Amino acid sequence: MSIAASNPTVQAFVSAVNAGDRDSFDAVLAPDATMSDDGTDRDLAAWVDKEIFSADGRMDIESESDGGLELVATFTNSTWGAMRTAWRFTVDDGRITRFETGQA
């Protein structure tokens, strides 16, 4: 059973992923947002296209901490299937400036 993130910006991110809504996803990110996957910085636009929007990505939140800025979620896409992942978000003025993800 998926829970909602208590941080509204992070919840908007998760909702956009789950809806496949690229416009809403882009709107929640700061213009210069960055990200990493398994500890390696990635090109955000290329990663998001490949891992989320071209592969029907979906997040089901299992738990959260740090006021909703840290999540453990089952991330599923058509490339890798389902995997337990950790997510950490940095939010500034209601927009995500960085997110880090990797296997949990």
Side-chain angles (χ1 to χ4, degrees):
M1 176 179 213
S2 185
I3 64 170
S6 60
N7 181 286
T9 303
V10 172
Q11 183 56 45
F13 176 99
V14 173
S15 294
V17 168
N18 290 344
D21 185 343
R22 183 64 187 258
D23 290 336
S24 293
F25 182 89
D26 288 343
V28 78
L29 297 177
D32 57 350
T34 61
M35 62 88 53
S36 70
D37 182 11
D38 283 329
T40 302
D41 279 1
R42 307 285 186 185
D43 177 279
L44 188 143
W47 188 91
V48 165
D49 284 337
K50 180 181 176 189
E51 301 295 337
I52 298 175
F53 294 104
S54 294
D56 302 315
R58 178 161 179 79
M59 296 175 71
D60 292 309
I61 302 170
E62 295 176 22
S63 63
E64 69 166 14
S65 58
D66 193 20
L69 296 176
E70 293 184 15
L71 307 177
V72 173
T74 300
F75 181 77
T76 306
N77 71 21
S78 59
T79 303
W80 305 108
M83 67 187 87
R84 192 164 187 258
T85 54
W87 298 76
R88 177 159 181 76
F89 297 89
T90 304
V91 176
D92 187 29
D93 289 330
R95 303 208 43 207
I96 293 170
T97 58
R98 180 168 178 83
F99 69 90
E100 300 168 358
T101 187
Q103 292 189 40

